[in-house]
Amino acid sequence: MFRNFVIALFLVSLVGCGKYVTREGMTKLNNRFENAKSQLEQKAQAGQITWVQAETRIRDMDKEVKVKLDASGASHTWRYDSGDDEYYAYCIALAEKLDKNEITFAQFDAAKKRAFNQVEARRQGLENQQELIESSQRIEQSLKQKENTQQPLNNSLTNQCLYNPATQAYQVCYHVTAGGQCAHFGSPCN
């Protein structure tokens, strides 16, 4: 039942032309996922299914939506990764304790929220780190391009081949200090 529901959610959410899931489509898909999740939690609370069954089905729905979206080739923002695997494994373990009455529902709910927040904080930290790496690579690339296109200054030693002791080679001098030393070497001399 839920498998067919997920497939229907997927097909309904592919809004617009081409294979791009619009923001509106993702919002609808997310709302339907949350509603299905809520229904499973209500069934577990009513004793119609166990909490382990509810948490397992929620995990499977989440994973299946991601798999179906990826298989469609559509561009989307649905995410399911190792952090989700970790979170759901923890939730299922907690659900088992709840089913055995080893913890209360309040403890179960609080522990799930805490685990979710920890996974999200770690994910955000990794995304921030990746952005910093990419930004520093762009800056480095920009500086290299600027160095390659930089015009030499206009003075007597500029644009002359001078010996660079750091590279042990003759290079074009782009900037000469007041003391007559080359402060910025460029490309090798021809």
Side-chain angles (χ1 to χ4, degrees):
M1 176 183 129
F2 278 97
R3 180 182 174 109
N4 293 336
F5 179 74
V6 170
I7 293 169
L9 287 177
F10 166 72
L11 294 173
V12 168
S13 70
L14 291 177
V15 180
C17 11
K19 287 201 168 203
Y20 176 74
V21 182
T22 63
R23 182 177 293 183
E24 178 185 339
M26 287 305 297
T27 300
K28 286 179 183 178
L29 180 59
N30 193 57
N31 288 342
R32 289 195 172 115
F33 174 81
E34 290 299 324
N35 287 339
K37 178 181 164 185
S38 178
Q39 288 174 3
L40 286 168
E41 290 170 343
Q42 288 171 3
K43 284 183 178 185
Q45 215 155 19
Q48 296 171 345
I49 60 175
T50 67
W51 279 101
V52 170
Q53 289 172 324
E55 290 298 325
T56 302
R57 287 181 188 171
I58 291 167
R59 179 205 55 204
D60 293 345
M61 276 191 330
D62 195 357
K63 191 182 289 188
E64 191 166 349
V65 169
K66 172 75 164 118
V67 167
K68 295 286 184 190
L69 284 169
D70 287 348
S72 75
S75 176
H76 63 86
T77 57
W78 197 272
R79 180 171 45 197
Y80 188 97
D81 58 20
S82 61
D84 294 299
D85 280 332
E86 176 188 335
Y87 169 73
Y88 283 122
Y90 182 70
C91 289
I92 292 168
L94 284 173
E96 192 173 332
K97 288 184 175 195
L98 182 60
D99 286 339
K100 293 178 182 179
N101 293 320
E102 293 176 5
I103 60 174
T104 66
F105 179 78
Q107 291 170 318
F108 170 73
D109 193 43
K112 275 180 56 173
K113 288 176 183 172
R114 187 173 46 252
F116 179 81
N117 290 336
Q118 288 172 345
V119 168
E120 284 301 307
R122 186 172 55 242
R123 183 179 280 153
Q124 186 63 49
L126 290 172
E127 287 175 5
N128 290 346
Q129 185 179 25
Q130 185 62 36
E131 285 178 26
L132 285 172
I133 290 168
E134 289 170 2
S135 178
S136 100
Q137 288 171 343
R138 284 192 302 271
I139 290 170
E140 186 178 319
Q141 194 173 37
S142 174
L143 289 174
K144 284 181 182 178
Q145 287 174 347
K146 186 177 180 181
E147 181 179 295
N148 291 337
T149 60
Q150 187 174 5
Q151 296 297 319
L153 297 174
N154 220 359
N155 68 26
S156 61
L157 294 177
T158 301
N159 206 17
Q160 291 190 16
C161 286
L162 298 178
Y163 183 74
N164 181 352
T167 61
Q168 297 180 351
Y170 284 90
Q171 293 177 284
V172 175
C173 179
Y174 286 117
H175 180 220
V176 178
T177 64
Q181 299 293 318
C182 185
H184 184 102
F185 286 99
S187 58
C189 295
N190 293 333

